[in-house]
Amino acid sequence: MTETKPFISVALCTHNHLDRLVRTLADLASLHAPVRPWEFLVIDNGCTDGTSEMLATRDWALQGAQIRVVREDRLGLSNARNRALREARGEYLVFMDDDETPEPGWLQALEDAMIAHAPDALGGRIAVMFEDGARPPWLQDELLGFLGKLDHGEACWLTSEETPIFGGNFAFRREVFERIGDFDARLGRMGAINTGGEDTEIHRRLLAHGCRVRWVPAAVINHRIQTPKLQRHYFLDLHFRQGRWQGARKRGGGSRMPPKYLAPQMLRAFGRAIAKRLSEGADHSLRLEMNAAYFTGYVFGWVRDVA
């Protein structure tokens, strides 16, 4: 018997996070199913930790959803998401991560917005859940966005690059990728490499192509934060790598000699970070240290990397 074509495809991309994935799949059992048919698509991104074997048991299968597991051996979150674009059959494609716990009404809220507004893309609210320990004192509120926290307030249309949607809780009309192109495979996590930026980059492309992006605050996902991310090095490394990519992209095929304006900018960034740390202590200086790490990576990428 032929299965009914789904209206929504939910894609979860995972790489070697078996323990996190087991928790996420268990939490999804509390999800309120959408009214229209839906499918749940798991992209096994080159897993070698027992994830593939666990998924093959289908003991975790969600009630009411059409279930498929697809393996993508090209490592990288963007490669996995692009594979989901090829595999999904729904009119809308919803992405989530393997370390998240949606609120029970999450998917229904997205479906309601899809039906009511027919947007090209949607984003939902992301809350931060400290799973493995207490929040460290240096983790100021201004840094929570780098752990995925996102809240743009009341429901609205998003029309600015300053109000992006994040990969832990966004959705797209599947046909929109024919207009804007796929996820940039150079961006996003790649195994243990701490790289991001693929979600804000595709948000910029959505706006540049005149796409309608809807903010759906009732669609809430909780991002579970593990101990490895509760280290200063995580934030500094993330910004260094982002700077490397930006520097290489900006240089393009030009000279590897960095432009003169970078030196004073970099020095100012380091000066502000040092001054903040000396005056207020390490618990208040990380944001400025991240700026310095970004400029360091920018120069490094300009000189060393290929765009």
Side-chain angles (χ1 to χ4, degrees):
M1 181 179 297
T2 303
E3 291 183 323
T4 303
K5 184 176 180 181
F7 176 63
I8 295 174
S9 298
V10 176
L12 187 156
C13 303
T14 187
H15 171 72
N16 284 354
H17 289 158
L18 177 58
D19 55 341
R20 302 180 196 177
L21 179 62
V22 168
R23 163 77 186 276
T24 295
L25 293 174
D27 289 346
L28 283 169
S30 300
L31 196 65
H32 298 160
V35 174
R36 297 189 179 184
W38 69 294
E39 67 173 350
F40 187 68
L41 178 63
V42 181
I43 306 297
D44 174 349
N45 190 204
C47 293
T48 59
D49 65 343
T51 292
S52 305
E53 292 76 11
M54 183 277 291
L55 291 172
T57 68
R58 296 300 176 96
D59 293 340
W60 51 271
L62 305 178
Q63 294 296 319
Q66 302 167 25
I67 305 292
R68 285 189 295 141
V69 177
V70 176
R71 185 172 177 90
E72 173 55 63
D73 286 318
R74 291 175 300 168
L75 196 60
L77 179 56
S78 289
N79 285 326
R81 285 178 175 158
N82 288 335
R83 181 62 182 271
L85 299 182
R86 308 289 176 262
E87 297 288 342
R89 299 185 297 120
E91 181 177 339
Y92 280 93
L93 177 54
V94 179
F95 288 101
M96 65 174 296
D97 291 335
D98 58 13
D99 56 355
E100 295 183 322
T101 297
E103 293 294 318
W106 166 68
L107 194 53
Q108 286 186 345
L110 289 175
E111 180 188 40
D112 289 345
M114 293 167 185
I115 294 171
H117 301 287
D120 296 306
L122 311 86
R125 187 156 59 91
I126 303 176
V128 174
M129 178 188 297
F130 294 99
E131 186 175 45
D132 295 335
R135 175 176 169 179
W138 52 260
L139 187 54
Q140 303 292 314
D141 288 347
E142 63 180 348
L143 301 178
L144 294 180
F146 299 106
L147 293 175
K149 183 177 180 179
L150 187 68
D151 190 351
H152 295 316
E154 299 297 321
C156 62
W157 294 102
L158 301 178
T159 59
S160 169
E161 293 184 8
E162 301 303 314
T163 53
I165 52 179
F166 283 179
N169 188 8
F170 60 12
F172 305 84
R173 186 183 294 275
R174 192 158 51 91
E175 66 182 16
V176 80
F177 290 94
E178 298 175 6
R179 296 161 54 192
I180 70 172
D182 293 352
F183 288 93
D184 189 333
R186 298 169 298 176
L187 300 176
R189 294 191 310 274
M190 190 168 295
I193 298 176
N194 184 24
T195 307
E198 81 290 345
D199 42 10
T200 52
E201 189 275 334
I202 209 157
H203 178 68
R204 287 193 293 268
R205 261 192 282 153
L206 285 166
L207 298 181
H209 283 79
C211 297
R212 301 165 67 246
V213 183
R214 187 70 181 174
W215 172 245
V216 188
V220 182
I221 268 185
N222 299 287
H223 182 208
R224 305 191 308 271
I225 306 301
Q226 295 80 33
T227 300
K229 290 185 179 179
L230 298 180
Q231 300 178 23
R232 299 172 70 95
H233 173 75
Y234 172 83
F235 293 84
L236 296 172
D237 181 62
L238 180 67
H239 277 67
F240 176 79
R241 292 182 182 277
Q242 183 68 12
R244 283 187 67 169
W245 181 80
Q246 292 282 3
R249 187 180 71 163
K250 182 69 173 178
R251 188 202 74 233
S255 170
R256 290 183 180 271
M257 180 64 68
K260 293 181 179 180
Y261 65 79
L262 280 180
Q265 289 183 346
M266 185 173 176
L267 289 173
R268 282 195 296 271
F270 272 91
R272 289 167 181 161
I274 293 170
K276 187 79 167 181
R277 186 154 187 161
L278 291 175
S279 64
E280 299 186 34
D283 287 348
H284 300 277
S285 63
L286 182 55
R287 185 66 185 91
L288 293 178
E289 292 173 32
M290 289 157 59
N291 290 343
Y294 173 86
F295 276 109
T296 304
Y298 195 97
V299 172
F300 190 93
W302 189 293
V303 174
R304 294 282 303 276
D305 294 341
V306 176

